[in-house]
């Protein structure tokens, strides 16, 4: 790593921090302060890419000499973006939508290197859930885990029992596609090959 330049994670997500730590990547945290509202008619992928870019740009303005990593994860089923649930009722609604079928998890990642424009990419993972009983859904929501997560679930938590199959990168579903991120950090010169 470049000794005088740091990697700043433009997110307070505990899952993203844990993934970077597990990968042995040193970083500091400075969450972005942007609106995460979706524009009317904005396609799901465009939405995720825009938020990742805006998060990275917001923090890069404060840390122009450092590398800044922004990310945004969305869950999509039937073209509907399932963000973080508004309340428990919304979490139950989302989980019912995901029950017994496939959905897509996309994480957009934007890396701003000092003196460079953003390098923004994404990964999508197909996730297949088994059919869930209403009682299971309500108990899971009552435990509180889904409330701050896109799609109202944590694949690395209680929702692991429902995931029958994944096609793609598991770390992407947790919140940060590590193979993609390390590839981007190497391309930027932050990590040495």
């Amino acid at each position: 790593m470049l000794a005088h330049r740091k990697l700043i994670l433009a997110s307070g997500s505990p899952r993203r921090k844990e993934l970077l730590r597990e990968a042995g990547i040193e970083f500091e945290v400075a969450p972005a302060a942007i609106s995460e509202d979706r524009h009317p008619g904005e396609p799901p992928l465009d939405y995720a890419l825009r938020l990742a870019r805006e998060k990275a740009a917001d923090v890069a303005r404060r840390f122009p000499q450092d590398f800044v990593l922004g990310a945004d994860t969305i869950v999509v089923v039937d073209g509907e973006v399932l963000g973080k649930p508004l309340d428990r009722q919304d979490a139950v609604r989302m989980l019912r939508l995901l029950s017994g079928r496939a959905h897509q998890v996309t994480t957009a990642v934007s890396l701003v290197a000092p003196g460079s424009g953003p390098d923004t990419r994404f990964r999508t993972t197909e996730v297949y859930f088994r059919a869930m009983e209403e009682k299971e859904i309500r108990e899971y929501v009552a435990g509180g885990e889904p409330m701050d997560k896109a799609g109202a679930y944590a694949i690395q938590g209680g929702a692991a029992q429902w995931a029958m199959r994944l096609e793609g990168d598991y770390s992407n579903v947790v919140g940060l596609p590590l193979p993609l991120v390390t590839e981007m950090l190497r391309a930027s010169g932050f990590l040495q090959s």
Side-chain angles (χ1 to χ4, degrees), residues 4 12-13 21 24-25 51 71 74-75 83 93 97 102 110-111 133 144 152 160-161 165 175:
H4 60 292
S13 164
R21 270 191 225 102
I25 298 170
L51 285 186
I74 59 170
V75 173
R93 177 191 69 83
L97 276 174
S110 190
L111 179 66
E133 295 177 15
Q161 63 182 316
R165 189 170 89 235

Side-chain angles (χ1 to χ4, degrees), residues 38-51:
R38 188 172 168 204
H39 295 162
E42 187 173 27
L45 179 57
D46 293 354
Y47 171 57
L49 290 167
R50 177 178 60 80
L51 285 186

Side-chain angles (χ1 to χ4, degrees), residues 27-88:
F27 65 97
E28 294 179 11
V29 175
I34 65 161
S35 166
E36 295 194 26
D37 292 339
R38 188 172 168 204
H39 295 162
E42 187 173 27
L45 179 57
D46 293 354
Y47 171 57
L49 290 167
R50 177 178 60 80
L51 285 186
R53 276 192 302 271
E54 287 180 4
K55 289 175 182 180
D58 177 63
V59 174
R61 282 190 285 278
R62 291 184 268 152
F63 298 92
Q65 299 306 311
D66 295 312
F67 291 79
V68 177
L69 183 67
D72 191 72
T73 301
I74 59 170
V75 173
V76 179
V77 63
D78 293 337
E80 180 183 350
V81 175
L82 303 182
K84 296 173 185 173
L86 303 172
D87 53 29
R88 288 182 177 203

Side-chain angles (χ1 to χ4, degrees), residues 1-2 11 23 29 49 51 56 72 83 113 124-125 152 170 180 182 186:
M1 284 185 248
L2 300 174
S11 169
V29 175
L49 290 167
L51 285 186
D72 191 72
T124 298
T125 303
Y170 172 81
L180 176 63
T182 54
R186 281 194 178 91

Side-chain angles (χ1 to χ4, degrees), residues 9-192:
L9 176 62
S11 169
S13 164
R15 292 154 299 282
R16 291 190 180 119
K17 291 188 277 191
E18 186 178 333
L19 286 165
L20 285 174
R21 270 191 225 102
E22 287 173 359
I25 298 170
E26 292 182 21
F27 65 97
E28 294 179 11
V29 175
I34 65 161
S35 166
E36 295 194 26
D37 292 339
R38 188 172 168 204
H39 295 162
E42 187 173 27
L45 179 57
D46 293 354
Y47 171 57
L49 290 167
R50 177 178 60 80
L51 285 186
R53 276 192 302 271
E54 287 180 4
K55 289 175 182 180
D58 177 63
V59 174
R61 282 190 285 278
R62 291 184 268 152
F63 298 92
Q65 299 306 311
D66 295 312
F67 291 79
V68 177
L69 183 67
D72 191 72
T73 301
I74 59 170
V75 173
V76 179
V77 63
D78 293 337
E80 180 183 350
V81 175
L82 303 182
K84 296 173 185 173
L86 303 172
D87 53 29
R88 288 182 177 203
Q89 184 177 338
D90 195 34
V92 168
R93 177 191 69 83
M94 289 183 189
L95 291 168
R96 283 180 187 147
L97 276 174
L98 300 176
S99 179
R101 57 191 307 207
H103 61 276
Q104 299 76 43
V105 178
T106 296
T107 301
V109 180
S110 190
L111 179 66
V112 177
S116 298
D119 176 5
T120 307
R121 308 181 198 183
F122 72 95
R123 283 293 177 268
T124 298
T125 303
E126 191 91 2
V127 181
Y128 297 82
F129 272 8
R130 70 164 170 79
M132 303 180 288
E133 295 177 15
E134 186 69 17
K135 183 175 187 263
E136 289 180 287
I137 291 173
R138 292 199 173 277
E139 286 175 357
Y140 181 61
V141 171
E145 185 175 81
M147 300 317 297
D148 66 339
K149 293 165 185 70
Y153 76 87
I155 194 77
Q156 73 283 11
Q161 63 182 316
W162 302 321
M164 294 172 50
R165 189 170 89 235
L166 276 82
E167 292 177 9
D169 178 357
Y170 172 81
S171 65
N172 179 50
V173 183
V174 178
L176 197 63
L178 283 176
L180 176 63
V181 168
T182 54
E183 177 184 314
M184 292 168 71
L185 289 172
R186 281 194 178 91
S188 72
F190 181 77
L191 290 179
Q192 305 305 313

